Amino acid sequence: MASLPGSSLSVDTFDRLKPLENLVRFIPTGSKKDGKKPLIREWPKHPGFTVQELQKQFPQAMSVGVVTQPLLCFDFDGETATQHAVLNDRDPDYVNTWRINRTTDPHRYKLLFLPSKEQLAQLPNGQITHSFNTRPASSVRHPYEKGAVVSKGEAEEIFCHPGRQVIVAGAHPSSGGHYFWPVGFGPEALSAPPEEWWEHVLELSRDYPRPAAGANKTVSASSFASRDWQRIEHCPICGRGPNDNPLCQLHRDGETLRCFLGQTFSPPTNLEPGELVPGTDWAFSRVSSSGWGEFLTFVKDNPNRYQQIKAMLRGYANGN
Ligand SMILES: [Zn+2]
């Protein structure tokens, strides 16, 4: 492929980006001095450059970035990030949209979607930015070597936000590699997020309308607003009180409770589904995870379930 003089970007790359230039906001990124950074300061406010403008005005750019709004990005950083998504019924290998891989690490890649106007309207301010750590950074010391090997943390990041951008083509200087689009997954494939993917985004935005904090951090009460879930001051399962950074939540149906697995406070983890937490009428249902970390979901065990159903049937019979 022919590269432009002094650029690591090919003519073919620009030709394939061109049909999107009025739909998304391209910006010049990456220079010899500054690995990946945007080449203009005011990029979050910039309406975006056409392909011709990028070529003429920024011949030194080593890559092209795109502002992630109206685009929605799923950024997979590491093998555990992909595993996390697959377990969540979102297999990245079975979704058809624009995919940005890089030559130097097959486990770090991005999927870009273009949400519909109706979808964007479902997000608070049309935005979301969320990060879920799937593996903490660690330093491993090998027994026969001096020094420690630091391995980067892994995470799935999801964002649709005017203050963020991702590189879609060109060089990845820190690894010496470059970005590429797998065959069939170029910009031509850009699509709206499929249902399972969008449902996941909506769920994150409903429960955690602000940038997620780590599960181990203290979270202020006000950042926990949600229509369906209310934070509970005294958790009947783990015993967290109002001064213990209460994270556990009760659904507005009053019958479903999420109890967070923490260092100091934690629900019992040895229960079979359906088994009651000793001394309570809460039955263990399942393990789930969110931007805060893992939590167990419990449902109210109702000894009068039979009578409830009878009453409900009576209601139907009476036309209520
Ligand atoms: Zn709890």
Side-chain angles (χ1 to χ4, degrees):
M1 271 185 267
S3 284
L4 295 176
S7 167
S8 56
L9 291 154
S10 72
V11 176
D12 178 64
T13 295
F14 281 120
D15 283 349
R16 291 176 67 186
L17 292 177
K18 191 167 176 50
L20 292 180
E21 66 185 11
N22 295 318
L23 256 182
V24 303
R25 293 152 63 196
F26 291 123
I27 53 170
T29 49
S31 63
K32 288 254 150 59
K33 267 198 311 214
D34 241 345
K36 291 170 75 164
K37 282 190 195 151
L39 300 184
I40 55 161
R41 244 213 229 135
E42 296 291 297
W43 63 267
K45 289 179 190 152
H46 198 280
F49 293 88
T50 65
V51 161
Q52 197 183 22
E53 286 167 343
L54 288 175
Q55 291 173 321
K56 293 245 160 85
Q57 296 173 31
F58 302 95
Q60 80 279 27
M62 296 185 59
S63 52
V64 175
V66 69
V67 179
T68 48
Q69 209 206 35
L71 288 176
L72 168 69
C73 179
F74 287 76
D75 190 357
F76 296 93
D77 262 344
E79 209 170 357
T80 56
T82 299
Q83 287 161 1
H84 168 67
V86 170
L87 288 174
N88 189 232
D89 284 333
R90 295 176 292 115
D91 190 332
D93 286 343
Y94 288 91
V95 69
N96 198 15
T97 193
W98 191 4
R99 176 166 171 154
I100 293 100
N101 274 52
R102 87 169 131 88
T103 52
T104 36
D105 190 341
H107 299 301
R108 293 182 189 258
Y109 58 93
K110 300 173 192 90
L111 291 176
L112 287 172
F113 294 102
L114 184 64
S116 67
K117 286 212 168 75
E118 291 74 25
Q119 286 176 324
L120 275 181
Q122 292 175 288
L123 294 179
N125 300 321
Q127 310 177 352
I128 185 170
T129 172
H130 186 274
S131 179
F132 182 81
N133 290 332
T134 53
R135 189 158 94 183
S138 67
S139 48
V140 185
R141 190 181 286 275
H142 293 290
Y144 304 110
E145 290 168 29
K146 282 182 181 168
V149 178
V150 178
S151 73
K152 278 177 82 177
E154 301 187 350
E156 184 190 19
E157 274 200 273
I158 299 171
F159 45 95
C160 174
H161 195 280
R164 301 193 62 168
Q165 56 93 18
V166 292
I167 296 180
V168 293
H172 183 261
S174 65
S175 70
H178 61 86
Y179 297 93
F180 71 97
W181 309 320
V183 173
F185 297 89
E188 307 80 13
L190 182 64
S191 313
E195 201 177 320
E196 312 81 64
W197 293 72
W198 186 247
E199 280 305 313
H200 182 63
V201 170
L202 284 184
E203 193 178 318
L204 296 175
S205 84
R206 267 196 294 269
D207 291 354
Y208 311 107
R210 296 182 189 202
N216 52 347
K217 287 184 195 140
T218 299
V219 178
S220 77
S222 60
S223 70
F224 211 75
S226 159
R227 266 178 300 147
D228 293 334
W229 293 93
Q230 286 278 318
R231 186 196 287 241
I232 40 180
E233 293 222 323
H234 295 273
C235 177
I237 293 171
C238 68
R240 276 186 182 90
N243 300 319
D244 302 319
N245 184 28
L247 289 168
C248 306
Q249 304 165 294
L250 185 65
H251 194 268
R252 64 172 172 190
D253 68 9
E255 306 261 297
T256 318
L257 192 154
R258 292 166 164 180
C259 183
F260 280 81
L261 287 161
Q263 301 284 339
T264 314
F265 295 93
S266 185
T269 53
N270 56 348
L271 302 176
E272 294 290 321
E275 202 178 329
L276 289 182
V277 178
T280 74
D281 53 356
W282 291 99
F284 171 59
S285 168
R286 60 189 180 274
V287 185
S288 312
S289 54
S290 75
W292 310 80
E294 285 207 308
F295 56 86
L296 303 188
T297 299
F298 295 86
V299 291
K300 199 89 174 244
D301 181 70
N302 200 328
N304 297 320
R305 187 90 184 123
Y306 174 69
Q307 308 208 323
Q308 262 191 346
I309 291 170
K310 264 187 22 192
M312 207 170 77
L313 291 173
R314 263 201 311 277
Y316 282 124
N318 296 338
N320 294 332

